Amino acid sequence: MLQPVKIALGQYMGRYFSTIVPSTKPLEGFVTRPLAKAIAWAPARMIDAAEEMLSLWLRSDLENAPTTPPELPAIIVAVAKDYTPTGRDYTRQVADRQMVMIPDDPKERLFGLRAVAGDVRAQVVVFATDEPSAHSLAAQFLLFLDETDNRRFEASYRFAGLDTAWPVQVESPDMPAMSIATDAKNLTILAIDLTLRAEIPLFDAPKAGEPNDGKGEPGTDDPAGYPLVQTVHVESAEAGGQGGAAEIRPYEVSDEAGGAP
């Protein structure tokens, strides 16, 4: 459920990487690397194991071939394993199921939708052998966060063969990048904590054996939608509302003038 948020965060960090100005000599080489040799993922929140994560990454084989290990500076990104619903003072979840049509669905199917609003904690950790490079990377990332267009990004969710974009708001506390203690004399570690406020869709469709619109196959990646009532015919209605009868019929196309059934 959170994997699209992680993928979108990776793309977001790639945007940051493309904006870095090499203000020190080590950063001149840093900005010329492929993204995978400059920014990496850690499997979980890592402030208590920063040096261990860095060591594992420096020893990793990023190209499946004999190669020189990545050099510093480096940035490692981690996403916490915990999950917290977003506070109600900020937004509300869509807990009551709504019936929707996904935009641009050529079949115009009707699906159910609920939406989770959750806080995802993330951490961006800068490693450098010199303080100026670490400070520059951290300061430029915080500047990147302050840019209006970078206060949010979109995560893509796929359902029924269709991709929909859902917002992720980036909240960073007004605090400096934290210095992480290390036994290494020539290593500077700075950690920046983020909160990602994500809106996560939960679509549903008719299961096998349930009524559907026949526009897909239940239980597959191309599901049928829920039945849709398209017209209501009133057969008769007497004055005062007595004796009126109404009948719901399947959709019909009339050949009469005006095109109404």
Side-chain angles (χ1 to χ4, degrees):
M1 186 171 73
L2 295 179
Q3 190 62 24
V5 176
K6 295 179 180 180
I7 293 172
L9 176 59
Q11 296 168 343
Y12 183 79
M13 294 303 299
R15 283 167 45 197
Y16 156 66
F17 180 69
S18 68
T19 68
I20 294 174
V21 174
S23 59
T24 67
K25 190 67 175 178
L27 290 181
E28 292 178 4
F30 179 77
V31 298
T32 63
R33 299 182 208 165
L35 180 61
K37 285 193 173 185
I39 301 178
W41 283 102
R45 194 168 176 83
M46 51 164 287
I47 192 170
D48 56 345
E51 290 184 78
E52 178 184 349
M53 292 299 178
L54 176 63
S55 178
L56 289 173
W57 183 62
L58 291 177
R59 295 199 306 267
S60 65
D61 181 3
L62 300 177
E63 297 178 344
N64 297 318
T67 183
T68 302
E71 299 177 353
L72 298 183
I75 296 174
I76 296 183
V77 182
V79 174
K81 292 182 178 180
D82 53 21
Y83 167 83
T84 304
T86 301
R88 296 301 177 265
D89 58 338
Y90 182 84
T91 189
R92 296 189 65 85
Q93 302 187 114
V94 182
D96 297 323
R97 181 168 168 268
Q98 307 293 314
M99 304 306 293
V100 300
M101 285 186 181
I102 299 176
D104 301 323
D105 180 5
K107 297 182 179 181
E108 297 185 338
R109 290 164 291 185
L110 190 68
F111 299 117
L113 171 65
R114 294 174 296 154
V116 171
D119 287 356
V120 180
R121 293 188 299 141
Q123 192 173 64
V124 175
V125 185
V126 176
F127 299 85
T129 55
D130 64 304
E131 288 187 12
S133 293
H135 291 159
S136 180
L137 287 175
Q140 291 190 58
F141 181 67
L142 293 172
L143 181 65
F144 177 81
L145 290 177
D146 272 344
E147 186 175 340
T148 302
D149 291 343
N150 296 331
R151 297 304 296 168
R152 58 185 289 160
F153 55 88
E154 292 181 337
S156 180
Y157 292 83
R158 190 167 184 83
F159 179 79
L162 302 165
D163 293 315
T164 57
W166 290 74
V168 180
Q169 185 79 27
V170 182
E171 178 182 304
S172 62
D174 294 328
M175 60 183 299
M178 298 178 296
S179 177
I180 307 303
T182 172
D183 293 332
K185 295 181 179 180
N186 63 339
L187 181 62
T188 298
I189 305 175
L190 299 177
I192 301 168
D193 289 324
L194 304 173
T195 297
L196 308 179
R197 301 189 185 278
E199 194 82 8
I200 303 167
L202 297 174
F203 291 100
D204 65 82
K207 299 179 177 62
E210 293 182 346
N212 62 72
D213 60 8
K215 296 180 180 178
E217 185 66 29
T220 69
D221 292 335
D222 184 30
Y226 289 100
L228 179 64
V229 175
Q230 293 162 303
T231 59
V232 176
H233 291 259
V234 177
E235 296 297 329
S236 63
E238 298 179 0
Q242 301 295 322
E247 179 184 358
I248 297 176
R249 297 180 179 175
Y251 178 76
E252 302 171 359
V253 177
S254 172
D255 293 330
E256 299 175 3

